[in-house]
Amino acid sequence: MIDSKPVIAANWKMYKTPQEGYQFARQLATKALNLKGVKFILAPSATAIFHLAEVLKDTPIEMAGQNMHFAEEGAFTGETSASMLQASGCTWVIIGHSERRHVFGESDDFIRQKVAAALQAGLNVIMCIGERLEDREAHRTQGVLQQQLRDGLEGLDEYPAERLVIAYEPVWAIGTGVVASPQQAGDAHGQVRAILNQRFPGLADADVKILYGGSVKSANAAELISTPGIDGFLIGGASLDVNEYCSIAEIAQNEVQVTN
Ligand code: 13P
């Protein structure tokens, strides 16, 4: 469960050994004492989750898996189930990240099955959506967001809205250093909110947070977080450095306090 604090989520992707993650988590646990105005979620690689849980268990910092399979168990080499993530200390899972969609070929239907299985198992979900550059240039952004939301969440609106977070991550902004402008991000977040309200009345309130992801760093965090409709960040590269990650959190904390 999350409250009205901005969510500052770190997606470490395939970076950091368990030892490196452990060091980061120890430093973050200390620094987070002064950053109570934000909600931290860390998504380490699968091999580091259990190790980090020991550091984070008495802190408000939560952990997310970066992916999962929808089956409870079975002959699925290389996969991790919802209950395995939970037993290792995760309360969240990221599903449908653009790298899962575009590097590993995951379909909207596959993603929907995972979102359903995660919610059913009791994990909270960060579902990622976002258009590719060619979609944006062809003015298809809204259509892509609509399809990814519709297909990814079909039949799932009976779950409490606060168990779902949407991360809007335009593919062209991920890892490129090209960040969406506040106007572009704000427009897309407005579209996501409108689609959710229209298609999923069960989810139709501000409890579904919408995060922005794609080249977020301390230099651009203030203008993004103060854009209406942006409820936090899903951060890749800049989340690997604990000082930079905490700088972003501090900026979010200060900006949201100022605008509240
Ligand atoms: P970067 O912050 O490295 O652009 O990555 C964003 C992302 O994919 C987070 O899930």
Side-chain angles (χ1 to χ4, degrees), residues 11 13 97 99 128 169 173-176 213-216 234-238:
N11 175 10
K13 309 189 180 186
H97 190 275
E99 285 140 25
C128 303
E169 301 203 297
I174 295 178
T176 58
S215 297
V216 174
L234 181 55
I235 311 164

Side-chain angles (χ1 to χ4, degrees), residues 108 129-132 135 140-149:
D108 284 319
I129 58 173
E131 82 287 0
R132 293 172 299 179
D135 298 319
R140 288 195 301 257
T141 300
Q142 190 168 3
V144 169
L145 300 179
Q146 200 151 14
Q147 187 202 327
Q148 291 177 341
L149 283 170

Side-chain angles (χ1 to χ4, degrees), residues 4-225:
S4 60
K5 295 173 185 174
V7 174
I8 306 298
N11 175 10
W12 286 352
K13 309 189 180 186
M14 203 170 73
Y15 293 96
K16 290 197 189 293
T17 62
Q19 290 76 10
E20 289 164 346
Y22 189 89
Q23 288 308 327
F24 182 112
R26 283 182 57 145
Q27 292 175 45
L28 178 63
T30 305
K31 290 171 182 285
L33 296 173
N34 293 322
L35 296 168
K36 294 203 169 98
V38 304
K39 172 76 207 157
F40 286 107
I41 302 175
L42 287 186
S45 69
T47 54
I49 292 169
F50 191 64
H51 211 46
L52 263 66
E54 191 189 317
V55 186
L56 301 179
K57 63 178 187 295
D58 297 321
T59 76
I61 301 164
E62 294 188 53
M63 264 192 305
Q66 294 180 11
N67 183 30
M68 57 167 259
H69 196 277
F70 57 76
E72 175 53 30
E73 59 183 7
F76 299 107
T77 301
E79 295 292 323
T80 309
S81 72
S83 60
M84 290 171 184
L85 291 178
Q86 288 172 301
S88 305
C90 290
T91 45
W92 292 86
V93 61
I94 298 172
I95 295 179
H97 190 275
S98 106
E99 285 140 25
R100 300 303 319 171
R101 292 175 187 269
H102 302 302
V103 181
F104 298 99
E106 291 190 5
S107 67
D108 284 319
D109 184 56
F110 193 50
I111 289 163
R112 187 193 57 74
Q113 293 185 70
K114 296 195 212 196
V115 175
L119 290 170
Q120 167 79 31
L123 279 172
N124 304 312
V125 171
I126 300 174
M127 188 176 103
C128 303
I129 58 173
E131 82 287 0
R132 293 172 299 179
L133 186 58
E134 57 263 42
D135 298 319
R136 175 160 284 270
E137 287 175 345
H139 307 289
R140 288 195 301 257
T141 300
Q142 190 168 3
V144 169
L145 300 179
Q146 200 151 14
Q147 187 202 327
Q148 291 177 341
L149 283 170
R150 184 194 60 213
D151 294 355
L153 297 175
E154 197 66 60
L156 299 176
D157 53 345
E158 82 268 23
Y159 287 98
E162 68 270 15
R163 295 195 45 211
L164 180 70
V165 166
I166 303 296
Y168 168 64
E169 301 203 297
V171 179
W172 47 270
I174 295 178
T176 58
V178 180
V179 66
S181 68
Q183 168 94 46
Q184 288 171 320
D187 286 352
H189 282 230
Q191 288 167 8
V192 171
R193 180 70 65 201
I195 296 163
L196 288 174
N197 286 349
Q198 192 186 7
R199 296 204 58 104
F200 305 101
L203 295 174
D205 54 34
D207 284 342
V208 180
K209 284 189 184 280
I210 307 173
L211 312 185
Y212 170 78
S215 297
V216 174
K217 49 185 193 255
S218 55
N220 54 34
E223 58 176 9
L224 286 166
I225 199 67

